Amino acid sequence: MNLKTVLILLVLALATIFALVCVLLTREVKPASCEPQTLSSQGGKHSDQSLVFADLTPEEMKQVVTYLQENLGVPLVDASQANPSDNCIYYIDVQLPTKAEVLGFLDRGGRRPPRQALAVVYFGNQPDPNVTEYVVGPLPKPTTHRDVTVRKYGGKLPYHRRPVTEKEYKDIDRFVYQEFAKAPGLLRECCDYDETNFATLTTVPRGFQSGDRATWFVLFQNVNGSGYFLHPVGLEVLVNHSSLDASQWRISQVFYNGEYYGDMEQLETEFIQGRVKDVKVKKVRPDEEFGSMRPRAAPMAPGPLQYEPRGPRYSIQNNHVIFQSWSFAFGMDVNTGPRLFDIKFNGERIVYELSLQEALAVYGSNCPGGMVTRYMDGSFGIGKFAFELVRGVDCPYTATYVDRHYLVESETPKVNKNSLCIFEQDTSVPLRRHYSNLQSLYYGGLTKYALVLRAISTLINYDYVWDFIFYQNGAIEVKIHATGYISSSFLYGTGTEHGSQVGEYTLGTMHNHLINYKVDLDVGGTKNSLVAHDMTFDTVQAPWSPEHQIQRPRLTKKVLDTEDKAVFPLHSKIPRYIHFTTNLENKWGHQRGYRIQIVSFAGDHLPEASSMERSISWGRYKLAVTKRKEEEPTSTSIYNQNDPWTPTVAFADFIDNETIVNEDLVAWISVGFLHIPHTEDIPNTVTVGNGVGFFLRPYNYFDEDPSVRSPDGIYFRSDQDPSMCDVNHVACLSKTASCSPAFPPFTYNGFQNQTGP
């Protein structure tokens, strides 16, 4: 081998070594794309103006409690220890300023509205027991309070309308178990009763007329670690707890296995005499699979995980969120749950307020508890019972979690940690796309990324998943999924006329879910009109062949100019395009608007002939649009539950044929579904198919789809190499998304400070 050949081989060897070193070094260098991204490209910026909508802080709550204790002039007992005959603070929440005050501050440089609290006080220790609402302020150091009860509701709030406290429920349980001592033979025979293995479930409403406070309580086996709602024992008791003196409470009816008795003594006497048909209910074993959510299969390899390779593309400061062109403020009402304010796209306000109002469940059964139940969940506390979310199940593991503070039935604020989550998700379907195989060859598409704000409320047996979803094309989706356990009755006789048998003695009782939302749209300002677009067919002669006819679709347009024309009963026909418009026009001369598109399959709420229907009269309509009024802030009231026969707020009264042309308008939207339980609801109900809601979609609001400005779009032609990063950023995902996320450790505090009802 000559010297020249040796040199060539040496050079080639050195080049190979250099290349290998470069590869190894490159592998060890953290890609620049792994560095956290900056959010300077966001469409908006944070400011403390959003705090005008903020929930109360724990310190503010404490200040209000101290002020009330020192200035109401009556002794206040901590509600967690209060008897019905005591005075106590039921709850404290933020009192939002009027819309005029807020817009003056946000849009016109006016002064910041004073921060105030709403305090609801039970006055049981006085000659005329009542519930009184006070506005207390200014915060953080309150100096004044004013009674707003009469102004809000047109009169005093009778004491029997008050929501039942956890202390009252505990006292009722204690009373009921004392009464059970009067029927030891039956309870031992039917249910192996040992004074610990029963659980009660409340029903509502509590009677048949205004002033009643008598509740049917359904008895179940108290199953540890599983849903007791599926294990009825066939016993239900009607407790009259109207007296403020618990020693005067009494059981006025007993139901057992299809028969009614006057009290527990009569039930026991007839049992001893052999006139009671008792059913031996098997005691639930600790390892019972029926109704248990314990997994029945060993874990497999982890499923797909969602994460942001370079960190979140949204930003949260205080109660304010920015995501691409979107910005909004968020909060949680202790009664009605999640609510959003000042929703803007590209800096323009689209919605002033978007808030949950009520969740209703109307049951049917041949047992008394099931046949009377109409749960109005706001009276129990949709926001109060929005508990901690579980990472990786309730929300993506790397979502942002937010704590919420509240003060209910206590003089000390409590916290539900991680009870709101915010995350961006890939919905796994294109927002829009096209593959062109005619003439020019190209592909264009856009991933449908969306920002989600979520809370989940557990209201007795049901879990409701509340979603507010923001898309890159300017659309908002509001969605609710139902899961959790079905409520059941004891199966006897003709029970299956009211549901399905799902266990040996378990009837899954049919029920209807209805959820109501308030949507205060401000499209191009506060002066809007409601317009309906639809289609009809005109029969016309073909211009080129008059002897032939064509059925030609034609666009119909109608301005709905009064409230009476803007209400759509639940099962009536509704225009397929119904939208809020402004007098402002887009580039093409169309009135700028936002369309309301409803996805629902609800059953009837109640016949209007029902004596309690007015209390839930919002349920008559899938959509009702009214002129906005400060004195009509909500479609219902927490006081409607315990006196539905004389409703404190009757939504039907909002509709009085006022003009709604060029006015500040509010849409009240109801969605829901009829649920006939079936065996696949065991162990509990799945979310698949149990999701309903509505969309707010731009309708000629923009000159073109605003998502064309999204940085997530891709486009390449047939003469380009789609695997090149400068042509198609998706081709670079193997590099830009190669960073492993730093998963936070799994924690859960949701069982802390839980006392139960």
Side-chain angles (χ1 to χ4, degrees):
M1 183 180 294
N2 58 36
L3 182 60
K4 184 177 181 181
T5 301
V6 171
L7 289 174
I8 292 174
L9 291 174
L10 182 61
V11 169
L12 289 173
L14 290 172
T16 301
I17 293 170
F18 178 77
L20 289 172
V21 170
C22 287
V23 169
L24 291 172
L25 289 174
T26 301
R27 284 185 175 181
E28 293 182 3
V29 172
K30 187 177 181 180
S33 59
C34 286
E35 297 299 326
Q37 63 182 326
T38 62
L39 298 176
S40 59
S41 60
Q42 298 283 10
K45 61 180 181 179
H46 292 296
S47 77
D48 65 359
Q49 286 188 324
S50 67
L51 294 176
V52 73
F53 303 109
D55 295 340
L56 295 180
T57 66
E59 184 57 36
E60 288 174 326
M61 296 174 188
K62 293 176 186 176
Q63 292 288 344
V64 173
V65 169
T66 301
Y67 174 85
L68 293 173
Q69 291 171 332
E70 295 174 352
N71 291 276
L72 287 186
V74 296
L76 293 174
V77 178
D78 190 304
S80 63
Q81 304 298 320
N83 296 313
S85 57
D86 291 325
N87 306 321
C88 66
I89 299 170
Y90 176 54
Y91 80 86
I92 294 172
D93 208 344
V94 67
Q95 173 69 26
L96 293 171
T98 66
K99 184 175 181 179
E101 290 178 295
V102 172
L103 294 186
F105 167 63
L106 295 180
D107 299 345
R108 295 184 287 277
R111 70 179 185 91
R112 182 184 292 270
R115 189 155 166 80
Q116 300 178 111
L118 176 69
V120 176
V121 182
Y122 288 0
F123 287 106
N125 185 13
Q126 64 178 38
D128 179 26
N130 66 85
V131 180
T132 303
E133 296 195 356
Y134 296 103
V135 171
V136 182
L139 301 179
K141 298 287 187 180
T143 56
T144 62
H145 66 282
R146 68 181 190 278
D147 184 342
V148 296
T149 314
V150 174
R151 179 181 63 80
K152 285 178 68 173
Y153 304 115
K156 288 187 174 182
L157 289 171
Y159 202 49
H160 65 264
R161 294 185 189 175
R162 72 192 187 280
V164 176
T165 64
E166 291 184 10
K167 172 66 162 55
E168 187 173 353
Y169 278 126
K170 289 178 180 178
D171 290 344
I172 292 172
D173 273 359
R174 188 178 301 112
F175 164 74
V176 167
Y177 294 136
Q178 289 172 354
E179 291 291 300
F180 285 170
K182 299 174 181 178
L186 171 74
L187 296 181
R188 186 168 51 249
E189 177 67 22
C190 77
C191 317
D192 291 329
Y193 178 62
D194 62 6
E195 300 183 2
T196 64
N197 59 330
F198 276 4
T200 62
L201 177 65
T202 187
T203 66
V204 280
R206 309 181 191 280
F208 289 104
Q209 62 187 2
S210 185
D212 284 354
R213 201 170 176 89
T215 305
W216 278 102
F217 287 88
V218 184
L219 276 298
F220 296 83
Q221 292 195 58
N222 187 14
V223 184
N224 186 32
S226 183
Y228 69 83
F229 315 101
L230 299 178
H231 300 279
V233 299
L235 178 67
E236 303 181 12
V237 294
L238 178 60
V239 180
N240 188 324
H241 52 112
S242 58
S243 175
L244 304 190
D245 180 358
S247 68
Q248 301 299 310
W249 293 353
R250 59 188 174 85
I251 290 181
S252 54
Q253 283 276 293
V254 174
F255 171 86
Y256 178 70
N257 190 22
E259 301 293 335
Y260 291 85
Y261 305 88
D263 52 29
M264 296 302 295
E265 289 106 321
Q266 183 190 356
L267 175 61
E268 180 74 359
T269 298
E270 299 209 14
F271 169 72
I272 293 172
Q273 295 174 354
R275 293 198 295 268
V276 174
K277 183 182 178 182
D278 66 301
V279 178
K280 181 67 175 178
V281 178
K282 295 177 182 177
K283 193 169 185 178
V284 180
R285 307 183 311 273
D287 60 345
E288 179 75 59
E289 288 190 345
F290 176 75
S292 173
M293 295 182 67
R294 289 188 294 271
R296 301 182 196 177
M300 297 177 62
L305 292 176
Q306 175 179 313
Y307 70 97
E308 303 94 342
R310 295 175 58 196
R313 304 198 303 176
Y314 56 88
S315 175
I316 305 173
Q317 180 177 298
N318 298 319
N319 65 328
H320 192 244
V321 178
I322 293 174
F323 168 66
Q324 296 190 0
S325 297
W326 288 106
S327 67
F328 59 88
F330 66 90
M332 179 81 80
D333 184 284
V334 70
N335 299 310
T336 60
R339 54 189 180 183
L340 280 60
F341 295 96
D342 199 28
I343 302 173
K344 293 181 177 180
F345 190 87
N346 284 335
E348 293 186 355
R349 183 175 299 110
I350 306 295
V351 180
Y352 178 76
E353 177 185 354
L354 172 54
S355 57
L356 180 62
Q357 296 289 294
E358 184 63 281
L360 170 71
V362 177
Y363 279 81
S365 172
N366 60 342
C367 295
M371 73 174 70
V372 303
T373 293
R374 288 90 176 90
Y375 286 127
M376 304 177 200
D377 288 330
S379 72
F380 292 92
I382 297 172
K384 171 186 175 182
F385 291 119
F387 295 116
E388 182 166 4
L389 301 164
V390 174
R391 284 185 184 272
V393 182
D394 295 331
C395 306
Y397 200 98
T398 58
T400 300
Y401 294 84
V402 182
D403 300 344
R404 307 312 301 163
H405 298 87
Y406 65 95
L407 191 148
V408 184
E409 299 182 36
S410 173
E411 293 179 350
T412 304
K414 296 181 180 179
V415 60
N416 281 343
K417 294 184 67 63
N418 302 331
S419 59
L420 277 169
C421 71
I422 299 167
F423 57 92
E424 185 183 359
Q425 68 173 357
D426 181 351
T427 64
S428 301
V429 64
L431 181 67
R432 49 181 174 78
R433 61 93 71 187
H434 180 65
Y435 167 73
S436 175
N437 65 341
L438 299 174
Q439 297 185 355
S440 60
L441 306 179
Y442 62 89
Y443 174 87
L446 176 62
T447 307
K448 190 163 72 172
Y449 294 122
L451 185 80
V452 181
L453 182 144
R454 173 176 294 166
I456 303 180
S457 299
T458 301
L459 293 150
I460 308 180
N461 56 305
Y462 261 106
D463 297 64
Y464 294 104
V465 182
W466 315 109
D467 279 355
F468 300 85
I469 308 168
F470 297 85
Y471 296 103
Q472 297 182 76
N473 68 325
I476 303 170
E477 182 181 6
V478 178
K479 196 165 191 177
I480 177 263
H481 287 90
T483 177
Y485 281 94
I486 60 172
S487 185
S488 69
S489 289
F490 189 77
L491 178 64
Y492 81 97
T494 59
T496 52
E497 293 181 358
H498 309 280
S500 302
Q501 181 175 0
V502 296
E504 185 176 5
Y505 296 111
T506 306
L507 174 70
T509 49
M510 66 184 298
H511 52 281
N512 186 35
H513 293 278
L514 267 176
I515 298 92
N516 188 244
Y517 291 89
K518 177 182 181 180
V519 187
D520 183 356
L521 278 159
D522 283 352
V523 181
T526 58
K527 300 299 182 183
N528 292 156
S529 300
L530 188 68
V531 178
H533 285 180
D534 214 317
M535 64 163 285
T536 188
F537 283 97
D538 291 339
T539 300
V540 297
Q541 292 178 325
W544 63 93
S545 184
E547 67 273 19
H548 294 98
Q549 291 184 333
I550 296 175
Q551 283 68 45
R552 181 175 60 182
R554 176 172 58 83
L555 176 64
T556 62
K557 302 178 182 180
K558 185 177 182 180
V559 176
L560 307 176
D561 56 359
T562 65
E563 290 178 338
D564 286 8
K565 297 177 184 178
V567 294
F568 300 93
L570 203 59
H571 301 297
S572 67
K573 184 178 180 181
I574 185 172
R576 278 160 283 198
Y577 279 68
I578 190 161
H579 55 286
F580 278 40
T581 66
T582 174
N583 287 329
L584 301 175
E585 296 180 346
N586 71 3
K587 178 180 178 181
W588 312 111
H590 297 293
Q591 285 183 301
R592 301 177 69 194
Y594 253 78
R595 175 189 173 196
I596 298 170
Q597 183 177 349
I598 301 173
V599 181
S600 177
F601 42 97
D604 294 311
H605 67 308
L606 272 183
E608 289 189 32
S610 167
S611 61
M612 65 181 69
E613 188 276 339
R614 273 178 51 80
S615 67
I616 51 176
S617 51
W618 53 265
R620 298 176 188 176
Y621 314 106
K622 65 183 79 175
L623 171 65
V625 176
T626 63
K627 183 177 178 179
R628 188 190 187 280
K629 297 178 181 178
E630 288 293 339
E631 58 270 26
E632 295 175 350
T634 58
S635 60
T636 185
S637 164
I638 61 171
Y639 310 112
N640 282 12
Q641 177 72 93
N642 291 326
D643 189 358
W645 310 280
T646 310
T648 302
V649 174
F651 178 77
D653 294 340
F654 291 13
I655 301 164
D656 50 10
N657 211 31
E658 289 188 88
T659 181
I660 54 172
V661 176
N662 292 326
E663 297 285 354
D664 194 358
L665 305 181
V666 173
W668 309 87
I669 301 174
S670 296
V671 298
F673 55 92
L674 174 66
H675 188 182
I676 303 173
H678 43 89
T679 52
E680 291 81 10
D681 284 309
I682 305 300
N684 66 350
T685 298
V686 299
T687 56
V688 177
N690 289 323
V692 292
F694 60 92
F695 292 86
L696 304 175
R697 298 176 57 185
Y699 186 63
N700 290 320
Y701 186 84
F702 303 102
D703 296 334
E704 62 180 349
D705 185 345
S707 69
V708 296
R709 294 172 181 80
S710 170
D712 299 316
I714 71 164
Y715 173 86
F716 50 82
R717 301 186 309 271
S718 60
D719 60 347
Q720 295 176 306
D721 182 354
S723 65
M724 299 296 292
C725 293
D726 57 351
V727 173
N728 170 19
H729 66 82
V730 175
C732 292
L733 285 179
S734 58
K735 300 176 182 178
T736 60
S738 62
C739 321
S740 297
F743 285 110
F746 184 91
T747 60
Y748 189 73
N749 303 282
F751 299 127
Q752 295 179 6
N753 303 318
Q754 291 299 311
T755 57

